[in-house]
Amino acid sequence: MTNNNKRVLIICQHFWPETFRISDIAAGFIENGFRVDVLCGIPNYPKGQFFEGYSLFKKRRQNYKGVNIIRVPEIPRGNNSNLKIFLNYISFPFFAIFYIPWLATRKYDRILIYQLSPVYMALPGIILGKIKGTKILIYILDFWPHSLFSIFNFKNKLIRNLITQISYWHYRRADGIIAVFKGIQTRLINEVGIKVEKTIYIPQAAEKIYELQIKDPEIEQRLGQGFKIVFAGNINPAQSFDTVLKAAKQVREAGYYDIKYIILGEGMSKKWLISEIDKMGLTEYFEFIGLVPVEEVPKYQTEADALILALSRSPLFEYAIPAKLQSYLAAGKPIIGAVDGECQRQINESGCGICCDSGDSANLASNIITIYSMNKSDRDRMGEKGREYHFKHYERNQNLKRLIEFVFNDHRIIDEEYPELNKLGI
């Protein structure tokens, strides 16, 4: 059977024009001769409102770079309150189930579930796979219940155990599991009881466009002079902006007045962030660009003198790596980090930047000043080390090849990033 005859159904609540990397993965499958259908929701992340031109009755069938998109109804996230997010979470798998009879009439060689939160977004794919006898693969980005427990600390042991068993039930139904972090893979083997040969670690790879330096005179003029530190991503509590703001205030109080923070993105914490910046008297040092297409992000990163990354303290982040790290590494600019665990290890070992612990605003401020005070040639070398690390571990095409081999050919190509674990076959 040739690639041209192989068809995969991807199930994921979020897809283009929302900025999740499954869109690039699906396009990569098309580039390699596969046929791809995507069952997803109506775009509304992160603002919580349906994107312009989309509704329950508009743009329910689309094509993206050859990918056939089927959109099921869902309740938008609204104001991102706990209730609205819960309704959004349950609405997608609920409505997706009604598409199973129609999907069952189509032939798929594989079903790939791109699993964010919640884990039960995988349920429609599991049901369809069992009905059709089609291999089911889950690509885990949010490992449940650990991802949930990092946000909501349930004290009741009975509830925690119930959620854990429900989560693990989903994973045990899969014929293969791709873990976006090595820590997820080891936990799947040691805690969930998944056989090693059914698992593989394949990190998220930044889209190729992030490797480009793109000069845009209009953006250059808009951002103006001074030392520019860029943040690109979702503005939510996990990003530890309180640490960034405290550090920014300390930097200003130390007499550095020409450092500007450029914020790309939207999210549930944006209003709070703007309010806090105003309270701290930092408004003139921050500029909010808003949500921009993926294709536009490299234009801002090209103008950056450094990129900033901060995460809240959580057991989850001991092994989790934010997707923006891959984008930052590809951009070839020095990274200023306030993160723990695996993310800190990669920044320090690659030499791509300077990193302190999560929540350490004093050291973050000191590191900002250190990067600012460097010669440009030293900063450029730091950025180049990040690009070297990117091409060794995170380059899009080599990771896409590994994903294709595992999904379609049941072939595990082991990564080279964790040699000690690889000796064990993990």
Side-chain angles (χ1 to χ4, degrees):
M1 180 181 287
T2 65
N3 289 355
N4 290 330
N5 292 322
K6 286 188 176 182
R7 173 179 284 175
V8 59
L9 173 66
I10 297 176
I11 296 179
C12 52
Q13 185 165 356
H14 302 289
F15 195 76
W16 172 88
E18 294 170 314
T19 53
F20 290 83
R21 295 214 155 116
I22 186 58
S23 304
D24 189 55
I25 290 171
F29 287 165
I30 293 289
E31 292 166 16
N32 283 271
F34 299 95
R35 291 184 291 171
V36 183
D37 290 350
V38 169
L39 188 73
C40 61
I42 301 170
N44 68 101
Y45 182 90
K47 284 189 174 182
Q49 301 172 345
F50 289 146
F51 284 24
E52 185 176 355
Y54 290 85
S55 73
L56 292 172
F57 307 101
K58 295 180 181 178
K59 295 188 177 181
R60 296 282 297 281
R61 297 293 296 269
Q62 288 185 284
N63 189 284
Y64 172 73
K65 297 184 178 181
V67 177
N68 178 41
I69 303 173
I70 307 143
R71 300 193 186 277
V72 308
E74 68 171 307
I75 299 171
R77 297 167 67 97
N79 61 0
N80 284 302
S81 66
N82 288 342
L83 176 60
K84 283 287 190 177
I85 291 175
F86 173 74
L87 292 174
N88 174 259
Y89 277 180
I90 65 172
S91 64
F92 172 74
F94 174 79
F95 287 112
I97 285 173
F98 290 95
Y99 284 70
I100 290 176
W102 175 72
L103 291 169
T105 66
R106 303 169 70 86
K107 182 183 182 303
Y108 293 109
D109 297 280
R110 296 289 189 271
I111 296 172
L112 175 63
I113 300 159
Y114 187 79
Q115 186 246 305
L116 298 151
S117 287
V119 66
Y120 41 82
M121 69 166 58
L123 186 60
I126 291 171
I127 295 173
L128 178 63
K130 297 306 179 185
I131 290 173
K132 295 285 291 180
T134 304
K135 283 193 172 183
I136 305 159
L137 298 107
I138 302 179
Y139 195 166
I140 303 175
L141 283 88
D142 290 346
F143 181 44
W144 272 52
H146 305 281
S147 180
L148 177 67
F149 293 161
S150 70
I151 301 171
F152 300 104
N153 185 21
F154 296 96
K155 301 294 186 182
N156 189 296
K157 290 184 178 180
L158 184 62
I159 293 177
R160 290 178 69 92
N161 184 62
L162 178 63
I163 295 173
T164 299
Q165 292 307 314
I166 291 173
S167 301
Y168 289 0
W169 179 89
H170 287 77
Y171 297 140
R172 289 170 181 147
R173 305 280 83 74
D175 298 289
I177 299 183
I178 304 105
V180 73
F181 308 126
K182 196 69 173 181
I184 293 179
Q185 185 191 18
T186 55
R187 287 189 173 205
L188 285 166
I189 296 165
N190 297 329
E191 297 179 18
V192 188
I194 307 295
K195 294 181 179 178
V196 173
E197 58 269 21
K198 292 177 66 174
T199 72
I200 191 170
Y201 157 70
I202 303 177
Q204 288 198 96
E207 294 85 347
K208 294 296 286 183
I209 194 169
Y210 283 106
E211 298 170 4
L212 303 178
Q213 295 284 310
I214 306 174
K215 293 291 291 185
D216 187 306
E218 184 178 336
I219 291 175
E220 183 179 12
Q221 184 177 10
R222 175 182 177 181
L223 298 184
Q225 300 299 312
F227 191 87
K228 294 174 281 291
I229 299 176
V230 170
F231 168 92
N234 191 13
I235 305 172
N236 61 33
Q239 307 305 317
S240 192
F241 271 105
D242 55 337
T243 304
V244 175
L245 294 189
K246 290 175 184 176
K249 185 176 181 181
Q250 293 172 54
V251 169
R252 186 196 64 179
E253 291 173 346
Y256 296 89
Y257 301 110
D258 63 337
I259 297 177
K260 193 170 188 178
Y261 304 85
I262 313 299
I263 311 297
L264 275 67
E266 296 285 345
M268 61 190 299
S269 299
K270 185 176 180 179
K271 288 183 179 179
W272 168 86
L273 178 57
I274 292 173
S275 175
E276 287 298 302
I277 289 171
D278 182 60
K279 288 178 184 177
M280 298 174 74
L282 297 172
T283 302
E284 65 180 294
Y285 303 101
F286 281 80
E287 181 168 349
F288 288 85
I289 305 300
L291 192 65
V292 300
V294 169
E295 294 77 13
E296 296 290 309
V297 175
K299 297 178 181 180
Y300 290 92
Q301 293 185 340
T302 297
E303 295 301 318
D305 295 288
L307 306 171
I308 194 164
L309 169 61
L311 291 175
S312 301
R313 181 157 286 149
S314 166
L316 180 66
F317 295 139
E318 286 299 316
Y319 62 83
I321 302 168
K324 68 170 63 61
L325 177 62
Q326 285 93 339
S327 305
Y328 284 5
L329 290 167
K333 294 298 176 83
I335 299 172
I336 306 170
V339 294
D340 294 329
E342 184 63 11
C343 190
Q344 182 179 119
R345 180 191 71 82
Q346 292 193 17
I347 292 172
N348 289 335
E349 288 191 4
S350 67
C352 70
I354 305 177
C355 195
C356 63
D357 293 341
S358 295
D360 189 347
S361 59
N363 271 319
L364 178 59
S366 176
N367 291 342
I368 290 172
I369 294 170
T370 297
I371 295 287
Y372 170 88
S373 303
M374 281 182 174
N375 294 326
K376 185 178 183 302
S377 60
D378 292 335
R379 289 199 298 268
D380 289 345
R381 179 57 189 145
M382 194 173 271
E384 279 305 310
K385 288 182 178 179
R387 282 177 63 84
E388 290 167 7
Y389 196 86
H390 157 76
F391 281 109
K392 184 175 181 180
H393 298 293
Y394 292 135
E395 194 274 330
R396 184 251 198 187
N397 292 334
Q398 67 185 22
N399 282 292
L400 180 63
K401 177 184 177 182
R402 294 178 60 223
L403 184 62
I404 288 172
E405 285 296 313
F406 187 73
V407 171
F408 293 99
N409 300 322
D410 304 319
H411 177 212
R412 298 171 76 234
I413 301 177
I414 301 298
D415 66 281
E416 298 179 357
E417 193 172 351
Y418 301 90
E420 292 304 315
L421 289 174
N422 293 342
K423 290 177 183 176
L424 303 176
I426 298 177

